[in-house]
Amino acid sequence: MYVSGLPLTHCATQCHSLVVVLFSQTCRGKCGDILEECSCHTTCVSLLNCCSDYNQSCFQVMPHSSSMLGGRALRILTSQKTKIMFVCFCCRFKGEIEREGFIDAEGQAYCVSPLLYETGWIPFAVSTDGIHFDRSGEYLSVHPSKADHAFKVTLVNGTQWQYYGTPNVAGQLTMTWNSSLIGAEKVNIELWGYTEFSGRIEAQNRSALQAKLSYLYSLGRNLSNTGAFSFIPEPSHNYSGWELGNIRITASSESDGARDVQALWSGGHVLAWHLERAFRDDSAVWAEKKCQQWDELEKKLPKFLDELINCPCTLAQARADTGRFHTDYSCDIEKGSVCTYHPGSVHCVRAIQASPTHGSGQQCCYDSTGTLVLTGDSISGSTPERAHDWGSPPYMEPPRVPGYSHWLYDVISFYYCCLWSNHCHIYFSHRPSSECRNYRPPRAGVVLGDPHFITFNGLNYTFNGKGEFYLVSSPDKELSVQARTEQVKLKNGTLAKATWLSSVAMKENASDVIEVRLAEGHLQVLRNQKVLPFTEQRSMDLHGVFVFCPSPHNVTVSFCSGASVEVRVHEGTMAVTVLLPTEFNHSQGLLSWMNSSDALLTQVGEVISSADATPEEIFTFGASWNISKNSSLFTYDSKYLLDAYYVPPSHDPAFVPVFSLPEGPDDPLVADMLKMCFGEGARFCKYDTLTTRSLTVGNATLRAYQSYQAQMVALEPVVSCGWLSTPRNGKKNGTCYLEGSTLSFTCNEGYILYGSTERICLNDRTWTGKQPYCITGCPLWQQHYHMTMMISKIMIIIIYLRHVTVCKLSFILHCIENQWLHRG
């Protein structure tokens, strides 16, 4: 909400602060350090050894996220015990963007998030004297489409806004907002435009594209803050070159276009409603010209399609390959499949990572049968993106700006060519769907229950060691996934002779370290030893890693390589699935990927045949994969973790589990257990039921195993023979190009089909039959057809010139071109 602030001097002006409590050792300028007498590290809160000014010097903010467009007031959370009386308050974001903060009537300090062109955790510092910025915090800058909708300006009837000025679309446009979020009786409503231009970066002595969101003009000033505004837009003359932008609402006390003040923003949109008069006079002609200009520009830009990842062949694969693909928010089957730009599709996914060279994105869309939809068959087809919608590091440089670069390079052109004119063929010639012939699903390894391991090549075993171990170690890819196990505690408080997972930590190359651990029956996510809040955002783009947390019992961590770690909780028991792309052709650890389907590799390089190994030997193998203290990725932020894991060896040699349990007829659990534990996974179900004395835990293990099986089915490789075109002047029946699929072809009335009427996709990735063509009736062609297949093209022309009239010559040449050359 808006808060009225006390008048402040400029940041450069000398000012002072009154500190109520004197500190022996201070955290000012030392956040993250561990000092001699106390700690300024984030773990000090739970270890109870923070320096007395920790909360003031290393502060948290509320809310903890803001749209990258800025304008949200971030309240600095301070301790009531140690209160700082701010007389002057300044905020410095990323060490360079300096803005005045403000204090409300209750003495609470606020910084207003600035306009940025990037997402992720943004560091900022504050000063109470205008000189020393020695107190620090951070907030999450998010993609505008993922910002809190309560803080957005809503464009009522979005279709009217995006088609305004086209035939039969006119009248008043209306916007609404939550008036209580603006602490003023009067407001200003402004239009801002986005562009990317070539400019010189003096600090780096080079020229580069730069992004700019600029104030254009006001739609209204000093208007009553009713929460709604309607207007009839007039064509713009001076600003019609700005075709993409946002509406911003501020308190009327703010000057026009004031930077980084409290504000509400609309979503980015094509500014059809303010385009020049020529657009309203004939929008189709105007759009066609724009489409052709875009076509010429695209031909000059670098090619980007070849470096994109292939789409998964099926919807099941796309949803299961969580390391490389994530739901496209604009077409989500879980939210009713509102696919505005892909009508007819039910779900789309985007490649999580942008392509390395051009920052481009891949999009894959699927119909209700789970079939990949291609632009060669339908306007609903998947379209790649010259600029990834979610942006990519370093973000600020186009075409990597989240959201806006994508709108500029990929969306506006769709309006030009497809929505405002009938030239979609031009658009699709530059944005053709990716096929899936070269798609290879990842391999999966899983840990579940008490705990049971299924390796990447399908080998399964049980290892009940207590400590911290490598699940996956891939030195060539610099990926490390580590697991912590702890002893199972029974309902009566006693400890069982078995263990289960309690935490998993991971890192790839120079990425953030992510840890996911059990905390009171739900999952807690830490980034670099600091708990991540998922109360405002379900997903976060972090440094080298993407984290998705749709619920407290479900977390997916995806790395740049395409590797991912899925963590699920079933009845308080953690299950972990690791997905590795085929590029990880060898991995080590408890889920090791070996060429042999029954071999296990110890950390010292010894190969063990699982077929001959005893449970005790398997236990010795598992224990060999304990981590060293200096390679640990885990957080030790409690006395229990320090005493149980940080100080002792990484593998507890004193703990010996029970390797087998009898199914005694007198055991009251056995009868119900046998009814529940059957089929595949029954062995794991029985073991966990008996070790934990809980049918609930046994059932959770069985369900986790069944979930793993379902994922393996979804990730089964499939054969694609590739797209087949529809013959000109004919029809194609079918759009599935996978093994076993049959496509049939017919011709329009007056045309005769040459080639195969039916083609079947074989398991060697080839189609049966021959390419079909539709030609008009040609009696003389039929008489000489067999002869033309045996002589040269020159002889064909000579023979036909002897037997046909001149009026048929053009048709014969057409036949030769479309039949002979295509066959050749």
Side-chain angles (χ1 to χ4, degrees):
M1 71 183 203
Y2 273 70
V3 196
S4 58
L6 301 177
L8 296 176
T9 59
H10 190 268
C11 288
T13 303
Q14 293 288 339
C15 53
H16 66 278
S17 61
L18 175 63
V19 182
V20 176
V21 177
L22 298 177
F23 308 107
S24 56
Q25 280 200 317
T26 178
C27 286
R28 293 188 189 178
K30 300 176 182 177
C31 292
D33 295 344
I34 298 177
L35 310 180
E36 292 181 3
E37 299 177 7
C38 55
S39 175
C40 302
H41 193 272
T42 183
T43 57
C44 76
V45 176
S46 52
L47 292 175
L48 305 178
N49 63 344
C50 295
C51 296
S52 54
D53 70 337
Y54 174 76
N55 287 331
Q56 283 67 44
S57 299
C58 311
F59 54 80
Q60 307 293 316
V61 297
M62 182 182 294
H64 66 259
S65 68
S66 168
S67 164
M68 73 177 195
L69 298 177
R72 195 167 187 185
L74 308 174
R75 179 164 64 92
I76 306 244
L77 302 180
T78 56
S79 169
Q80 295 299 317
K81 295 180 181 179
T82 309
K83 196 74 173 178
I84 299 179
M85 303 300 294
F86 296 102
V87 176
C88 173
F89 187 55
C90 305
C91 311
R92 179 184 288 167
F93 297 87
K94 297 186 64 183
E96 55 187 27
I97 303 173
E98 195 170 300
R99 298 288 184 267
E100 291 183 355
F102 65 89
I103 316 297
D104 69 5
E106 298 176 355
Q108 296 288 345
Y110 293 81
C111 289
V112 177
S113 59
L115 166 65
L116 298 173
Y117 299 100
E118 62 181 304
T119 59
W121 285 93
I122 305 299
F124 69 101
V126 300
S127 172
T128 57
D129 61 9
I131 301 174
H132 303 97
F133 288 82
D134 50 10
R135 307 163 194 260
S136 59
E138 60 181 359
Y139 78 98
L140 184 66
S141 174
V142 301
H143 190 292
S145 68
K146 290 196 274 184
D148 189 340
H149 285 276
F151 284 80
K152 282 188 176 181
V153 177
T154 301
L155 306 182
V156 180
N157 189 357
T159 301
Q160 184 188 12
W161 285 79
Q162 70 183 22
Y163 282 94
Y164 201 95
T166 62
N168 304 316
V169 183
Q172 281 193 337
L173 293 177
T174 300
M175 65 185 79
T176 60
W177 64 93
N178 186 340
S179 59
S180 67
L181 296 177
I182 298 185
E185 294 183 357
K186 302 289 185 178
V187 295
N188 297 336
I189 300 178
E190 305 169 339
L191 176 63
W192 288 61
Y194 178 82
T195 189
E196 294 179 358
F197 64 97
S198 181
R200 188 162 189 83
I201 303 176
E202 296 299 335
Q204 301 176 22
N205 193 29
R206 65 186 181 92
S207 296
L209 279 176
Q210 296 181 42
K212 188 174 184 181
L213 187 63
S214 302
Y215 166 76
L216 302 184
Y217 57 85
S218 292
L219 297 173
R221 298 201 81 259
N222 219 26
L223 303 173
S224 295
N225 182 19
T226 61
F229 175 68
S230 297
F231 69 107
I232 296 179
E234 293 294 329
S236 172
H237 176 68
N238 296 327
Y239 299 99
S240 61
W242 298 81
E243 298 172 0
L244 170 65
N246 305 68
I247 287 172
R248 189 182 80 160
I249 299 179
T250 66
S252 60
S253 57
E254 303 290 354
S255 59
D256 291 346
R259 290 274 173 176
D260 304 330
V261 298
Q262 289 179 265
L264 303 180
W265 291 87
S266 75
H269 61 284
V270 175
L271 304 178
W273 50 273
H274 100 140
L275 294 179
E276 59 188 329
R277 172 62 64 184
F279 175 75
R280 296 195 184 184
D281 290 342
D282 195 330
S283 59
V285 170
W286 185 93
E288 179 184 355
K289 182 179 178 181
K290 286 285 187 176
C291 180
Q292 291 171 344
Q293 291 173 351
W294 175 78
D295 178 37
E296 292 302 314
L297 174 62
E298 275 291 310
K299 293 174 181 176
K300 300 175 184 177
L301 293 177
K303 298 184 183 301
F304 70 95
L305 297 175
D306 290 343
E307 70 169 355
L308 296 180
I309 184 175
N310 273 253
C311 282
C313 290
T314 66
L315 177 58
Q317 286 179 334
R319 301 189 72 188
D321 191 350
T322 55
R324 293 178 288 189
F325 296 93
H326 186 68
T327 298
D328 182 346
Y329 302 110
S330 67
C331 184
D332 184 356
I333 197 171
E334 300 291 341
K335 295 184 176 180
S337 299
V338 180
C339 306
T340 303
Y341 299 105
H342 302 275
S345 295
V346 299
H347 193 75
C348 294
V349 296
R350 292 186 188 275
I352 295 173
Q353 301 298 329
S355 65
T357 304
H358 302 295
S360 302
Q362 180 63 283
Q363 183 191 53
C364 314
C365 296
Y366 301 84
D367 63 20
S368 58
T369 68
T371 300
L372 179 65
V373 184
L374 305 178
T375 51
D377 297 322
S378 167
I379 62 170
S380 304
S382 323
T383 49
E385 309 157 344
R386 179 172 290 280
H388 197 302
D389 182 33
W390 303 338
S392 59
Y395 293 110
M396 296 186 68
E397 291 189 10
R400 298 174 181 268
V401 176
Y404 288 93
S405 290
H406 173 59
W407 272 90
L408 211 56
Y409 283 92
D410 303 293
V411 181
I412 287 182
S413 49
F414 186 78
Y415 279 78
Y416 295 156
C417 303
C418 297
L419 300 184
W420 294 340
S421 72
N422 189 26
H423 290 80
C424 251
H425 62 283
I426 296 178
Y427 182 83
F428 290 143
S429 69
H430 297 290
R431 299 292 185 270
S433 297
S434 164
E435 292 193 67
C436 67
R437 295 189 70 184
N438 296 320
Y439 171 76
R440 300 293 179 267
R443 292 202 183 194
V446 67
V447 188
L448 51 87
D450 192 16
H452 311 287
F453 296 77
I454 305 175
T455 68
F456 294 109
N457 49 353
L459 177 65
N460 65 76
Y461 64 90
T462 297
F463 167 61
N464 265 279
K466 178 185 175 184
E468 296 171 342
F469 308 91
Y470 285 107
L471 282 183
V472 175
S473 175
S474 181
D476 58 330
K477 300 290 186 180
E478 297 186 56
L479 172 69
S480 180
V481 183
Q482 303 173 4
R484 175 188 289 158
T485 61
E486 66 179 27
Q487 204 166 347
V488 175
K489 181 178 287 188
L490 303 181
K491 287 185 177 180
N492 61 12
T494 62
L495 296 175
K497 285 289 187 177
T499 60
W500 53 21
L501 287 179
S502 60
S503 185
V504 59
M506 63 212 81
K507 179 179 185 291
E508 181 180 81
N509 295 320
S511 75
D512 288 333
V513 175
I514 303 298
E515 182 177 354
V516 184
R517 64 188 184 186
L518 272 174
E520 299 180 354
H522 66 271
L523 295 175
Q524 185 180 70
V525 184
L526 294 88
R527 162 185 165 259
N528 300 333
Q529 302 187 337
K530 184 176 181 180
V531 175
L532 281 177
F534 281 92
T535 53
E536 297 175 17
Q537 300 293 324
R538 293 196 308 161
S539 62
M540 296 185 189
D541 293 295
L542 307 176
H543 182 64
V545 61
F546 175 79
V547 181
F548 178 53
C549 184
S551 79
H553 301 93
N554 188 338
V555 174
T556 299
V557 182
S558 305
F559 292 100
C560 292
S561 66
S564 73
V565 179
E566 301 174 354
V567 187
R568 308 288 183 265
V569 173
H570 302 271
E571 299 293 342
T573 305
M574 181 185 288
V576 174
T577 302
V578 182
L579 296 175
L580 295 183
T582 53
E583 291 80 9
F584 286 76
N585 51 23
H586 180 72
S587 65
Q588 302 173 347
L590 293 173
L591 296 176
S592 60
W593 184 344
M594 298 288 291
N595 293 328
S596 173
S597 61
D598 66 346
L600 295 170
L601 181 70
T602 68
Q603 189 161 188
V604 296
E606 181 183 356
V607 177
I608 298 175
S609 174
S610 64
D612 304 324
T614 65
E616 290 79 5
E617 289 172 327
I618 294 292
F619 182 78
T620 302
F621 151 77
S624 78
W625 281 108
N626 69 94
I627 65 174
S628 63
K629 295 300 181 184
N630 59 6
S631 64
S632 173
L633 301 177
F634 290 103
T635 303
Y636 306 93
D637 56 355
S638 69
K639 186 177 186 304
Y640 165 72
L641 292 175
L642 288 172
D643 293 343
Y645 293 98
Y646 184 75
V647 176
S650 296
H651 167 66
D652 184 355
F655 176 77
V656 179
V658 58
F659 294 109
S660 63
L661 291 170
E663 299 175 15
D666 298 331
D667 189 331
L669 276 178
V670 169
D672 289 334
M673 178 189 73
L674 294 176
K675 292 179 182 177
M676 178 181 69
C677 303
F678 61 89
E680 291 192 61
R683 177 166 61 91
F684 300 151
C685 175
K686 292 176 182 179
Y687 182 89
D688 290 6
T689 300
L690 295 174
T691 55
T692 64
R693 307 302 301 165
S694 170
L695 290 168
T696 301
V697 172
N699 184 51
T701 298
L702 184 61
R703 288 194 293 113
Y705 181 81
Q706 291 168 344
S707 177
Y708 160 76
Q709 282 187 308
Q711 187 170 32
M712 294 302 291
V713 170
L715 290 173
E716 277 289 326
V718 297
V719 171
S720 172
C721 294
W723 178 72
L724 289 180
S725 62
T726 301
R728 181 179 295 183
N729 301 312
K731 296 181 178 64
K732 175 178 64 177
N733 183 26
T735 56
C736 183
Y737 308 102
L738 305 183
E739 179 184 358
S741 299
T742 300
L743 300 182
S744 59
F745 303 88
T746 58
C747 290
N748 297 338
E749 186 176 352
Y751 291 84
I752 299 172
L753 190 142
Y754 160 72
S756 300
T757 59
E758 186 176 270
R759 304 188 73 182
I760 302 173
C761 178
L762 304 178
N763 61 8
D764 63 355
R765 302 180 184 274
T766 63
W767 290 98
T768 62
K770 301 176 181 178
Q771 175 69 33
Y773 298 96
C774 294
I775 60 176
T776 56
C778 184
L780 194 55
W781 170 270
Q782 294 172 1
Q783 294 174 21
H784 293 284
Y785 173 72
H786 294 290
M787 181 170 60
T788 61
M789 301 305 294
M790 300 174 64
I791 61 177
S792 68
K793 287 183 279 187
I794 296 177
M795 291 301 296
I796 296 173
I797 297 174
I798 294 173
I799 291 172
Y800 273 88
L801 289 175
R802 291 177 178 177
H803 291 82
V804 302
T805 60
V806 174
C807 64
K808 292 185 177 180
L809 177 59
S810 62
F811 171 71
I812 293 170
L813 293 174
H814 174 76
C815 289
I816 294 170
E817 180 184 0
N818 287 279
Q819 305 301 323
W820 177 276
L821 293 181
H822 279 289
R823 290 178 59 83

